[in-house]
Amino acid sequence: MKQWTVTSPGMRNLMLTTAPIPAPGEHEVLVRVEAVSLNFRDIGVIEGEEGAAMPFPLTPGSDLAGRVVATGSRVTRFQKSDVVLGTFWAGWLDGDWPAEARVLGGSLPGVLAQYVVLHEDWLVHAPRTLDAVRASTLPCAGLTAWFALIEKGGLRAGQTVLVQGTGGVALFGLQLARAHGAQVIVTTGSDEKRRRALALGASCAIDRTAHPRWDIPAREYTGARGVDHILELAGGDNLGRSLAALRQGGRISLIGVLGEYAMTFPSVPSFLTRPVIQGVGVGHRRALEELVRAVDSIELEPVVDECYGFDRLPEALAHLKRGAFGKIVVKVS
Amino acid sequence: MKQWTVTSPGMRNLMLTTAPIPAPGEHEVLVRVEAVSLNFRDIGVIEGEEGAAMPFPLTPGSDLAGRVVATGSRVTRFQKSDVVLGTFWAGWLDGDWPAEARVLGGSLPGVLAQYVVLHEDWLVHAPRTLDAVRASTLPCAGLTAWFALIEKGGLRAGQTVLVQGTGGVALFGLQLARAHGAQVIVTTGSDEKRRRALALGASCAIDRTAHPRWDIPAREYTGARGVDHILELAGGDNLGRSLAALRQGGRISLIGVLGEYAMTFPSVPSFLTRPVIQGVGVGHRRALEELVRAVDSIELEPVVDECYGFDRLPEALAHLKRGAFGKIVVKVS
Amino acid sequence: MKQWTVTSPGMRNLMLTTAPIPAPGEHEVLVRVEAVSLNFRDIGVIEGEEGAAMPFPLTPGSDLAGRVVATGSRVTRFQKSDVVLGTFWAGWLDGDWPAEARVLGGSLPGVLAQYVVLHEDWLVHAPRTLDAVRASTLPCAGLTAWFALIEKGGLRAGQTVLVQGTGGVALFGLQLARAHGAQVIVTTGSDEKRRRALALGASCAIDRTAHPRWDIPAREYTGARGVDHILELAGGDNLGRSLAALRQGGRISLIGVLGEYAMTFPSVPSFLTRPVIQGVGVGHRRALEELVRAVDSIELEPVVDECYGFDRLPEALAHLKRGAFGKIVVKVS
Amino acid sequence: MKQWTVTSPGMRNLMLTTAPIPAPGEHEVLVRVEAVSLNFRDIGVIEGEEGAAMPFPLTPGSDLAGRVVATGSRVTRFQKSDVVLGTFWAGWLDGDWPAEARVLGGSLPGVLAQYVVLHEDWLVHAPRTLDAVRASTLPCAGLTAWFALIEKGGLRAGQTVLVQGTGGVALFGLQLARAHGAQVIVTTGSDEKRRRALALGASCAIDRTAHPRWDIPAREYTGARGVDHILELAGGDNLGRSLAALRQGGRISLIGVLGEYAMTFPSVPSFLTRPVIQGVGVGHRRALEELVRAVDSIELEPVVDECYGFDRLPEALAHLKRGAFGKIVVKVS
């Protein structure tokens, strides 16, 4: 089989290699990978910047959709031919994050390969209503938005959600909020993306270049009441803007902001507004199973900006780095 | 002005009388009543069967939509011409139910009158998107369903809700669940009501005459997983059926069941299923304000089976007693 | 090694047998059992009355304290010599109860043996401050009380808890409630047990033979406010008494009531009181780890009514059947 | 009667004046003030630095214990001779903070007077077990610690709480945590205060002058697991230290930090640790009533550093400004 391997840190050391198809152990499942969606952290792993990554050479990639082709002797959760998704966190099943949980394509081998062997606990059944390309976007970006807004946030109809930008997590946030009867404000940097966000159901899209104090029109949109939930995807002193846009007792989810910069916000509003600021790092398997049921129930269609062939991974990563509207996916087979 | 008065217990002692238009005190508001929706408890109050009712003669009715025509000198929440709804519980603003809370048309005078004076704390702004007739259904039936499923139940897309029958609370349950991306099962006794429930968005409607063990098809509908939330509106040993239909860790809301009969259920499933069985008695003002925002956001249109003129109250109550599909409303002005 | 075996249903078929010491698999741990505490369900398993039990012959017992004597090659959670407790539910780690969870001494082999092999996921570190006999009471009775009052109940200082009887769960409820600053009411059938409950810290002990309507003095004790949490351990129409003793919005935990009888309660208070009635079936591993930390922090000393030698299991079970004050434990080694 | 009045902004304009004893309106209560505890914000109000304060001249002070001497005609919650506490927030009864809530000695007249008239909704019954001087410390400092740790934090036995400094909120945090079976770490700047904190029950007291990276010994104390709850009372980049000391999924309460400086923390741990950072601004009346019950149940004795006579208010404020161990109280009558 073919798989992508990074021999030593650096994008130029990423190459398509061949390897034997692995065999599943007792509790393991052999999956034929059909699609892998990409995340910013894949770039960090390839460039050797993610702390807990595997030793090189390594295979990157964490989000797969595929089909079970063989099962170990003691596997009970899956059968041959089942269509499955991987869980981003291997070993976080429910409740609190456990110290032993690890990440596929991080401290565990990745999934940018034609076949992978995974413990049966690290897989869930895929939604009935999505093809593999779209389904592969759920394990990280989809689950992050679901975990922030639904599992932790208890979102309800009539609330207002604000998402920053139009990347994968932001657009899932938009779609999930709409499906729960909420209004959605998007901040974005381009007119084209503004139009596409409105077409996806955003009630309001603010150009953050024209409005560096985007919190002011956001607050106005809510009739001065303030936004109920904010997906904070920019970090730095943008967090101060988010606090200014928030309603009394509202919630800000801090999500996977890259870079070293400090989060910063003025102290007084931090207790006058009584916000809940919640760090979110993807989520657990039970929530992914609920997201899958929700996707089938509401017929949510994830936004894939572009889908690349397996051998075009470097181009796909370059597209992601430039900025995508929604997700970038690699079709494996 | 005209108002309905019950001189002594009994439906035959309900009569249209005249009275002076009352004047608001410092913190009070004078409201011109436009519509009043009816509840089963109104019949109990008129017949003298509700424990905590006012001494006779009394004016019944608890759920009003109307317009502010005058305000007391210290009123800050409302202005003349505001369109308002009453809160079923006078004095339950948020959080836990306080012992001092009382009910309009119960231990406090009712609203089946052309004008009423109410404390400003007992009113909320009406939704922009509904006329008075439809809006008057929110304070009791709408809020009960919202409080059970959303405020207490944390309903999310992909879950399954089961509602019993097609009365006011059940249909609000159906509509609110659909607006949050959930599937809905309705149990009903007539073919006509089955068809109407499906037309409203129910995914599955079970004839409980044909299926006294309605829990079996309900469970099947969920692929054996069990129902997430049940609005228990029948009581008695039906509660045992509800437990049998429920998923592990699911939630049953016990709602305003009339009559003396005992609730009863087998003990073993009660801990094997780890259910949460939650008594619900309408809800607080903050939740009603959230419901109003939700109604405007999702453009929910409450189901009014029939609307009667103010002088036809006895016919309206008779219709309610026979059984209605959704709500019965009296148009006052 | 020696182990207890039931060859076919019935207490008379319980016998001490010999077997080879088992060897741990990759993810498994070999534990030398030091103490096993007994539960009513052990009697049901031996008598063939528990639905999901293993086929006979079987070894009963679910609650062990012991010491790790060997570990499989891929075990990471434990080392040789660690002192450990089993988890009652094998495979319920955190969050919602998963369908694949099974019970030691139920659908899995039991622990009334000198050595057992268990998956490393089914063990936690024992508290530093307890010997094996006392520590063995935590996995089922201790965790049940903790899960009901603390994990699900959010107990806080100043609240009032009522426990029914003086069995293992009830006395853990008493001790844990006291350690969180709550007042405790105990209902009991004997004067001797009343005295012992008061000596353990109960603020009020009601003789339920003298007071079949024990809810009346219980409510009086709270100054008419009502009890905050009730551990319902009797079932049947006693549940109606519990509802009558409860405060507005209070919580009743339904716990492992044996027998076929129906739970029954009058319908009206069930929504007027807005109770939360919650089925509890022991709890998950994360909560057991928290209980262990709490036991060390507050130096809780579980109440062991009597401790029997390994070969005296039948006498220990007979004692349990007669009724114990707290727990009955079998010392294995 | 005598009362303290600030004629215009500035401590030097604070003077003892005379005024007629006010008369209660319909829903109001006349209270003879017995003790008032002081808060940092009183200094801000006197110096004209609190945004929403009353126009000058004004009477400062928000936390009173006293006795009802007369009641308005429609008062139902209190009778003459009842011993009462004020609520810091006038009009926040339960649930979410409402926009109409105001602060005594802020946007409403203060309580540093021999008699005050207050709406009956703004009072609760005082604990049975405390004198007025100690009881007066509950409405702001006591409730803030309770709200952060218990109402929002769900503190339980076995957890570890860290409080910063030894002011009023910190010491209530220490005592309430101990009363729920938790361990407590205190950071402090003086050896004398370290000793006193340990004597009050702290398990560990860290000198933050000797250990600017106090998070390192704090984390060590927990066996590397991290602290469960932190009361963040310092602000600025200290918040980064708090994040470093926190366990996975732990909670930081941001409490009333004065000054303009920015809160700041590195972005990466903010989502890797999945913290909940929660702004706390005192709390609601229902929680104060629960705190009062808890104080009586656990016989908590608030720490009063020094109690001053009514005419020595300026000295009391100067002591507060210098820094106190616990609370400073003014005895009024």
Side-chain angles (χ1 to χ4, degrees):
Chain A
M1 69 162 190
K2 291 197 274 186
Q3 67 184 16
W4 282 96
T5 303
V6 198
T7 51
S8 60
M11 197 60 79
R12 70 184 172 285
N13 304 316
L14 174 64
M15 50 194 62
L16 202 49
T17 58
T18 58
I21 294 177
E26 280 187 353
H27 285 288
E28 291 176 333
V29 165
L30 176 65
V31 177
R32 192 181 68 237
V33 181
E34 298 182 348
V36 174
S37 78
L38 302 181
N39 299 303
F40 268 106
R41 64 178 295 289
D42 298 327
I43 299 174
V45 167
I46 293 168
E47 295 183 339
E49 290 162 1
E50 289 276 322
M54 297 279 288
F56 289 86
L58 59 77
T59 293
S62 59
D63 301 12
L64 84 90
R67 191 174 286 271
V68 172
V69 291
T71 58
S73 60
R74 299 174 74 171
V75 164
T76 59
R77 289 171 47 86
F78 300 97
Q79 297 188 311
K80 213 180 134 174
S81 299
D82 282 353
V83 187
V84 293
L85 304 179
T87 59
F88 179 87
W89 283 107
W92 185 11
L93 306 188
D94 200 347
D96 289 355
W97 182 88
E100 58 265 35
R102 287 171 299 163
V103 177
L104 301 182
S107 53
L108 288 173
V111 300
L112 277 158
Q114 287 180 316
Y115 292 87
V116 293
V117 154
L118 296 169
H119 193 286
E120 63 169 328
D121 278 349
W122 308 347
L123 294 165
V124 304
H125 290 280
R128 283 177 296 92
T129 53
L130 295 183
D131 60 22
V133 168
R134 286 202 158 89
S136 75
T137 64
L138 299 180
C140 180
L143 181 54
T144 298
W146 175 272
F147 211 71
L149 294 177
I150 313 301
E151 175 73 16
K152 293 290 181 182
L155 187 68
R156 47 188 70 177
Q159 293 190 321
T160 302
V161 171
L162 184 146
V163 302
Q164 296 171 350
T166 51
V169 174
L171 294 190
F172 269 111
L174 190 169
Q175 292 176 297
L176 289 171
R178 293 299 295 153
H180 285 81
Q183 304 296 318
V184 181
I185 302 171
V186 178
T187 65
T188 173
S190 106
D191 224 50
E192 161 69 3
K193 288 178 177 175
R194 269 187 82 246
R195 270 194 301 275
R196 291 171 77 182
L198 291 167
L200 262 177
S203 338
C204 168
I206 300 172
D207 182 336
R208 64 174 176 255
T209 316
H211 298 278
R213 283 293 310 266
W214 54 262
D215 52 297
I216 297 173
R219 200 165 189 95
E220 265 163 28
Y221 175 78
T222 66
R225 190 172 165 269
V227 173
D228 294 282
H229 299 245
I230 296 178
L231 299 189
E232 172 63 60
L233 292 150
D237 62 8
N238 192 61
L239 180 53
R241 296 283 84 77
S242 292
L243 266 172
L246 202 68
R247 78 154 162 91
Q248 266 286 339
R251 175 177 285 263
I252 295 174
S253 295
L254 298 179
I255 294 172
V257 185
L258 286 173
E260 285 309 299
Y261 35 15
M263 303 296 238
T264 237
F265 57 92
S267 73
V268 174
S270 72
F271 56 89
L272 286 190
T273 306
R274 297 174 184 77
V276 177
I277 304 174
Q278 160 89 61
V280 172
V282 195
H284 50 54
R285 188 181 79 186
R286 196 252 301 150
L288 180 59
E289 289 172 330
E290 291 186 9
L291 170 59
V292 165
R293 264 198 296 277
V295 162
D296 279 341
S297 179
I298 63 185
E299 301 186 10
L300 184 148
E301 209 167 277
V303 178
V304 173
D305 194 357
E306 195 159 348
C307 177
Y308 290 83
F310 188 47
D311 50 356
R312 295 177 61 210
L313 174 62
E315 284 165 82
L317 289 164
H319 186 163
L320 179 66
K321 218 166 173 174
R322 275 198 314 274
F325 186 85
K327 295 292 289 179
I328 301 295
V329 179
V330 170
K331 196 162 189 328
V332 180
S333 63
Chain B
M1 70 163 188
K2 291 197 274 185
Q3 69 183 15
W4 283 96
T5 303
V6 197
T7 52
S8 60
M11 197 60 79
R12 70 183 174 284
N13 305 315
L14 175 63
M15 51 195 60
L16 201 51
T17 59
T18 59
I21 294 177
E26 280 186 355
H27 285 289
E28 290 175 332
V29 165
L30 176 65
V31 177
R32 192 179 67 236
V33 181
E34 297 183 349
V36 174
S37 80
L38 302 182
N39 299 302
F40 268 106
R41 62 177 298 287
D42 297 327
I43 299 174
V45 168
I46 293 168
E47 294 182 340
E49 289 162 0
E50 288 277 322
M54 297 279 289
F56 289 87
L58 61 76
T59 293
S62 59
D63 300 12
L64 84 90
R67 192 174 285 271
V68 172
V69 290
T71 57
S73 59
R74 299 174 73 170
V75 164
T76 60
R77 289 171 48 85
F78 299 97
Q79 298 188 309
K80 212 178 136 178
S81 299
D82 282 353
V83 187
V84 292
L85 305 179
T87 59
F88 179 87
W89 283 108
W92 185 11
L93 306 190
D94 200 348
D96 288 355
W97 182 89
E100 58 266 32
R102 287 170 299 161
V103 178
L104 301 182
S107 54
L108 287 174
V111 299
L112 277 159
Q114 287 180 315
Y115 291 88
V116 293
V117 154
L118 295 170
H119 194 287
E120 64 169 325
D121 277 348
W122 308 347
L123 295 164
V124 304
H125 290 280
R128 285 177 296 93
T129 53
L130 295 183
D131 60 21
V133 167
R134 285 202 158 89
S136 75
T137 65
L138 299 179
C140 180
L143 181 54
T144 298
W146 175 271
F147 211 71
L149 294 176
I150 313 302
E151 174 74 18
K152 293 290 182 182
L155 186 68
R156 47 188 71 177
Q159 293 190 320
T160 302
V161 171
L162 184 146
V163 302
Q164 296 172 350
T166 52
V169 175
L171 294 190
F172 270 110
L174 189 168
Q175 291 177 297
L176 289 170
R178 292 300 295 151
H180 286 80
Q183 304 295 317
V184 181
I185 303 171
V186 177
T187 65
T188 173
S190 106
D191 224 50
E192 162 69 4
K193 288 176 177 174
R194 269 187 81 247
R195 270 195 300 275
R196 291 170 77 181
L198 291 168
L200 263 177
S203 340
C204 168
I206 301 171
D207 182 335
R208 65 175 177 255
T209 316
H211 298 278
R213 285 292 310 267
W214 55 262
D215 53 297
I216 297 172
R219 202 168 187 92
E220 265 164 26
Y221 174 78
T222 66
R225 190 172 165 270
V227 173
D228 294 281
H229 298 244
I230 297 178
L231 298 189
E232 173 63 60
L233 292 151
D237 61 8
N238 192 62
L239 180 53
R241 296 285 82 77
S242 291
L243 267 173
L246 201 68
R247 77 155 162 90
Q248 267 287 336
R251 174 177 284 263
I252 296 175
S253 295
L254 298 178
I255 294 173
V257 184
L258 287 172
E260 285 310 297
Y261 37 15
M263 303 296 241
T264 205
F265 58 92
S267 74
V268 173
S270 71
F271 56 90
L272 286 190
T273 306
R274 298 173 183 76
V276 176
I277 304 174
Q278 160 89 58
V280 173
V282 195
H284 50 54
R285 188 182 77 185
R286 197 253 300 151
L288 180 58
E289 289 172 330
E290 292 186 9
L291 169 59
V292 165
R293 263 198 296 278
V295 161
D296 279 342
S297 179
I298 63 185
E299 302 188 9
L300 185 149
E301 209 168 276
V303 179
V304 174
D305 195 356
E306 196 161 347
C307 177
Y308 290 83
F310 188 48
D311 51 355
R312 293 176 63 209
L313 175 62
E315 285 165 81
L317 289 164
H319 186 162
L320 180 67
K321 217 167 174 175
R322 276 196 315 273
F325 186 85
K327 295 291 290 178
I328 300 296
V329 179
V330 171
K331 196 164 189 325
V332 180
S333 62
Chain C
M1 70 162 189
K2 290 197 274 186
Q3 69 183 15
W4 284 95
T5 304
V6 197
T7 52
S8 60
M11 197 60 79
R12 70 183 174 286
N13 304 316
L14 174 63
M15 50 196 62
L16 202 50
T17 59
T18 59
I21 293 177
E26 280 186 354
H27 285 289
E28 289 176 333
V29 165
L30 177 65
V31 178
R32 191 179 69 237
V33 181
E34 297 183 350
V36 174
S37 80
L38 302 182
N39 298 303
F40 268 106
R41 62 178 297 288
D42 297 327
I43 299 174
V45 167
I46 293 168
E47 295 182 339
E49 289 162 1
E50 289 276 323
M54 297 278 289
F56 290 86
L58 60 78
T59 294
S62 59
D63 300 11
L64 83 90
R67 191 174 286 271
V68 172
V69 291
T71 57
S73 60
R74 299 175 73 171
V75 164
T76 59
R77 289 171 47 87
F78 300 97
Q79 297 189 310
K80 213 181 136 176
S81 300
D82 282 352
V83 188
V84 293
L85 304 179
T87 59
F88 179 88
W89 283 107
W92 185 11
L93 306 190
D94 200 347
D96 288 356
W97 182 89
E100 58 265 33
R102 288 170 300 163
V103 178
L104 301 182
S107 53
L108 287 173
V111 299
L112 278 158
Q114 287 179 316
Y115 292 88
V116 293
V117 154
L118 296 170
H119 193 287
E120 63 169 329
D121 276 349
W122 307 348
L123 294 165
V124 303
H125 291 279
R128 286 177 294 93
T129 53
L130 295 183
D131 61 21
V133 167
R134 285 202 157 91
S136 75
T137 64
L138 299 180
C140 180
L143 181 55
T144 298
W146 175 272
F147 211 71
L149 294 177
I150 313 302
E151 174 75 17
K152 292 289 181 183
L155 187 67
R156 46 188 71 176
Q159 293 191 321
T160 303
V161 171
L162 184 145
V163 301
Q164 296 172 349
T166 52
V169 175
L171 293 190
F172 270 111
L174 189 169
Q175 292 177 296
L176 289 170
R178 293 299 296 151
H180 285 80
Q183 304 295 319
V184 181
I185 303 171
V186 177
T187 65
T188 173
S190 107
D191 224 49
E192 162 68 3
K193 287 177 178 175
R194 269 188 80 245
R195 269 193 302 274
R196 292 171 76 181
L198 291 168
L200 262 177
S203 340
C204 167
I206 300 171
D207 181 336
R208 63 174 178 255
T209 316
H211 297 279
R213 283 291 310 266
W214 54 262
D215 53 298
I216 296 173
R219 202 168 188 92
E220 266 163 26
Y221 174 79
T222 66
R225 188 169 167 272
V227 173
D228 294 283
H229 298 244
I230 297 178
L231 299 189
E232 173 64 60
L233 292 150
D237 61 8
N238 192 61
L239 180 53
R241 297 284 82 79
S242 292
L243 266 173
L246 201 68
R247 79 156 162 90
Q248 267 286 338
R251 175 177 284 264
I252 296 174
S253 295
L254 298 178
I255 295 172
V257 184
L258 287 173
E260 284 310 297
Y261 36 15
M263 304 296 239
T264 249
F265 57 92
S267 73
V268 173
S270 71
F271 56 89
L272 285 190
T273 305
R274 297 174 184 76
V276 176
I277 305 173
Q278 162 88 60
V280 172
V282 196
H284 50 54
R285 189 182 77 186
R286 196 252 302 150
L288 180 59
E289 290 172 329
E290 291 186 10
L291 170 59
V292 165
R293 264 198 295 277
V295 162
D296 279 342
S297 178
I298 63 185
E299 301 187 11
L300 185 148
E301 209 168 277
V303 179
V304 174
D305 194 357
E306 196 160 346
C307 177
Y308 291 83
F310 188 47
D311 52 354
R312 294 176 63 210
L313 174 63
E315 284 165 82
L317 289 164
H319 186 161
L320 179 67
K321 217 167 172 173
R322 274 198 315 275
F325 186 87
K327 294 292 290 178
I328 301 296
V329 179
V330 171
K331 196 162 189 330
V332 179
S333 63
Chain D
M1 71 162 188
K2 291 198 274 187
Q3 69 184 15
W4 283 96
T5 303
V6 198
T7 51
S8 60
M11 197 60 79
R12 69 184 174 283
N13 304 315
L14 175 63
M15 49 194 63
L16 201 51
T17 58
T18 59
I21 294 177
E26 281 187 354
H27 284 289
E28 291 176 333
V29 166
L30 176 66
V31 178
R32 192 179 68 237
V33 180
E34 297 183 349
V36 174
S37 79
L38 302 182
N39 298 304
F40 268 106
R41 62 178 296 289
D42 297 327
I43 299 174
V45 168
I46 292 168
E47 295 183 338
E49 289 162 1
E50 289 276 322
M54 297 279 289
F56 289 87
L58 60 77
T59 294
S62 60
D63 300 13
L64 84 92
R67 191 175 286 271
V68 172
V69 290
T71 56
S73 60
R74 298 174 76 170
V75 164
T76 59
R77 288 172 49 85
F78 300 97
Q79 297 187 311
K80 214 181 134 174
S81 300
D82 282 354
V83 188
V84 293
L85 304 179
T87 59
F88 178 88
W89 283 108
W92 186 10
L93 306 189
D94 199 348
D96 288 355
W97 181 89
E100 57 265 32
R102 286 170 300 162
V103 178
L104 301 182
S107 52
L108 287 173
V111 299
L112 276 159
Q114 287 180 316
Y115 291 88
V116 293
V117 155
L118 296 170
H119 193 287
E120 64 169 326
D121 276 349
W122 307 348
L123 295 165
V124 304
H125 290 280
R128 284 179 295 94
T129 52
L130 294 184
D131 60 22
V133 167
R134 285 201 159 88
S136 74
T137 64
L138 299 179
C140 180
L143 181 55
T144 298
W146 175 271
F147 212 71
L149 294 176
I150 314 301
E151 174 74 17
K152 293 290 180 182
L155 186 69
R156 46 188 72 178
Q159 292 190 322
T160 302
V161 171
L162 184 145
V163 301
Q164 295 171 350
T166 52
V169 174
L171 293 190
F172 270 111
L174 189 169
Q175 292 177 296
L176 289 171
R178 292 300 295 152
H180 286 81
Q183 304 295 318
V184 180
I185 303 171
V186 177
T187 65
T188 172
S190 106
D191 223 50
E192 162 69 2
K193 288 177 178 175
R194 268 188 83 248
R195 272 194 299 274
R196 291 171 76 182
L198 292 167
L200 263 177
S203 339
C204 168
I206 300 172
D207 182 335
R208 63 173 178 255
T209 315
H211 297 279
R213 284 292 310 268
W214 55 261
D215 53 297
I216 298 172
R219 200 167 189 94
E220 265 163 28
Y221 174 79
T222 66
R225 190 172 165 268
V227 173
D228 295 281
H229 298 245
I230 297 178
L231 299 190
E232 172 63 60
L233 292 151
D237 63 7
N238 192 62
L239 180 54
R241 298 282 84 77
S242 292
L243 267 171
L246 202 68
R247 78 155 162 89
Q248 267 286 337
R251 173 178 286 263
I252 295 175
S253 295
L254 297 179
I255 293 172
V257 184
L258 287 172
E260 285 309 300
Y261 35 15
M263 304 296 240
T264 206
F265 57 92
S267 74
V268 173
S270 72
F271 56 89
L272 286 191
T273 306
R274 297 172 184 77
V276 177
I277 304 174
Q278 161 89 59
V280 173
V282 196
H284 51 54
R285 188 181 78 186
R286 196 252 301 150
L288 180 59
E289 290 172 329
E290 291 186 10
L291 170 59
V292 165
R293 265 198 296 278
V295 162
D296 280 342
S297 179
I298 62 184
E299 302 188 7
L300 184 148
E301 210 167 276
V303 179
V304 173
D305 194 356
E306 195 161 348
C307 178
Y308 290 83
F310 188 47
D311 50 356
R312 294 176 61 209
L313 174 62
E315 284 165 83
L317 290 164
H319 187 162
L320 179 67
K321 218 165 172 176
R322 277 197 311 274
F325 186 86
K327 294 292 290 178
I328 301 296
V329 179
V330 171
K331 197 164 188 325
V332 180
S333 62

